Amino acid sequence: MLSPTTLTAAFDRVTDYWSPKVVGRVNDQLLKVAKLKGKFVWHAHDGEDELFYIVKGSLRIEFEDGPVELSQGDFLTVPSGVRHNPVADEECWVLLIEPASTKHTGDEVTSRTRSLDEQLS
Amino acid sequence: MLSPTTLTAAFDRVTDYWSPKVVGRVNDQLLKVAKLKGKFVWHAHDGEDELFYIVKGSLRIEFEDGPVELSQGDFLTVPSGVRHNPVADEECWVLLIEPASTKHTGDEVTSRTRSLDEQLS
């Protein structure tokens, strides 16, 4: 029997900022939840869009041509190859939708980079 | 400049029950919003999962081995090929995520079937 997931409850698995956890899948895309606070890392995902949906709080995504502000309940797809840097002035809860192949920080590897195995744990 | 979409405001485009409207895209998957009320049609989507996220209200999805109840804030992926029938006792707002190729009612074509062109209009 299939069992639904309550989106807000799925955040219970998240214990660290900037450390997404996989909570669902539809076709070749993974649904991940993450808690964000502070500035992340400028990066891009070549060949892969990344959708941000704001579950709680607000998020500013910096792009090379300026920032976009997302409020609770907003979503935005960052197109493939577009460099961006998420910045959360206060704690923000996001749902991410992206392919299983997406690397957390694109080709930028930092101490904050989380592998897919870490995201599945 | 990219512009976010407010999920609840996207339902303004929906004027009829069971008539999804495309409001976003991530990679090869479309995001669609729909207002549901009553019983739909038993169908399956071969080769394509379909995700339901309940934005407002509640939804029962009937499966051949029994119903699953979804409340506001829940999501469920109906796996490819699994026959199902959504039933909303009261008006329910859902976000659907499915491939652009997904047919509204699978291989069952009824007066309620909406083409992708209708979903994009």
Side-chain angles (χ1 to χ4, degrees):
Chain A
M1 180 69 81
L2 296 169
S3 176
T5 300
T6 301
L7 180 56
T8 51
F11 285 83
D12 291 350
R13 282 184 50 208
V14 178
T15 51
D16 298 314
Y17 292 128
W18 307 107
S19 184
K21 295 292 179 184
V22 175
V23 298
R25 180 177 189 122
V26 57
N27 299 298
D28 55 350
Q29 308 292 303
L30 297 181
L31 283 78
K32 304 175 178 180
V33 294
K35 296 178 182 173
L36 314 183
K37 191 173 180 185
K39 288 194 181 210
F40 196 44
V41 178
W42 277 97
H43 65 285
H45 307 285
D46 287 335
E48 297 163 345
D49 301 338
E50 180 174 36
L51 182 141
F52 290 78
Y53 171 66
I54 310 302
V55 177
K56 190 187 287 191
S58 60
L59 182 68
R60 184 170 64 258
I61 304 183
E62 297 179 339
F63 294 96
E64 288 179 338
D65 58 355
V68 173
E69 303 284 343
L70 285 84
S71 303
Q72 187 169 322
D74 287 350
F75 68 86
L76 180 74
T77 298
V78 177
S80 131
V82 172
R83 281 176 59 78
H84 60 285
N85 188 17
V87 181
D89 293 329
E90 304 293 334
E91 179 174 301
C92 173
W93 293 15
V94 297
L95 172 71
L96 304 169
I97 304 176
E98 57 192 13
S101 54
T102 295
K103 290 184 287 181
H104 187 209
T105 50
D107 289 333
E108 317 294 327
V109 177
T110 79
S111 60
R112 291 170 143 186
T113 304
R114 295 289 174 266
S115 69
L116 182 57
D117 278 348
E118 289 171 301
Q119 297 177 41
L120 286 165
S121 69
Chain B
M1 180 68 80
L2 296 168
S3 175
T5 300
T6 301
L7 181 56
T8 51
F11 285 83
D12 291 350
R13 282 184 49 208
V14 179
T15 51
D16 298 313
Y17 292 127
W18 307 107
S19 184
K21 295 292 179 185
V22 175
V23 297
R25 181 178 189 122
V26 57
N27 299 298
D28 55 349
Q29 308 291 303
L30 297 181
L31 284 78
K32 304 175 178 181
V33 295
K35 296 179 183 174
L36 314 182
K37 190 173 181 186
K39 288 194 182 212
F40 195 44
V41 178
W42 277 96
H43 65 284
H45 307 284
D46 287 335
E48 297 163 345
D49 302 338
E50 180 175 36
L51 181 141
F52 290 77
Y53 171 66
I54 310 302
V55 177
K56 190 187 288 191
S58 60
L59 182 68
R60 184 168 65 257
I61 304 183
E62 297 179 339
F63 294 97
E64 288 179 338
D65 59 354
V68 173
E69 303 283 345
L70 285 85
S71 302
Q72 187 169 321
D74 287 350
F75 68 86
L76 180 74
T77 298
V78 177
S80 130
V82 172
R83 281 175 61 76
H84 61 284
N85 188 17
V87 181
D89 293 329
E90 303 293 335
E91 179 174 301
C92 173
W93 292 14
V94 297
L95 172 71
L96 303 169
I97 305 176
E98 58 192 13
S101 54
T102 295
K103 290 184 287 181
H104 187 208
T105 51
D107 289 333
E108 317 293 327
V109 177
T110 79
S111 60
R112 291 171 143 185
T113 303
R114 295 288 174 268
S115 69
L116 183 57
D117 279 348
E118 288 172 300
Q119 296 177 42
L120 286 165
S121 68

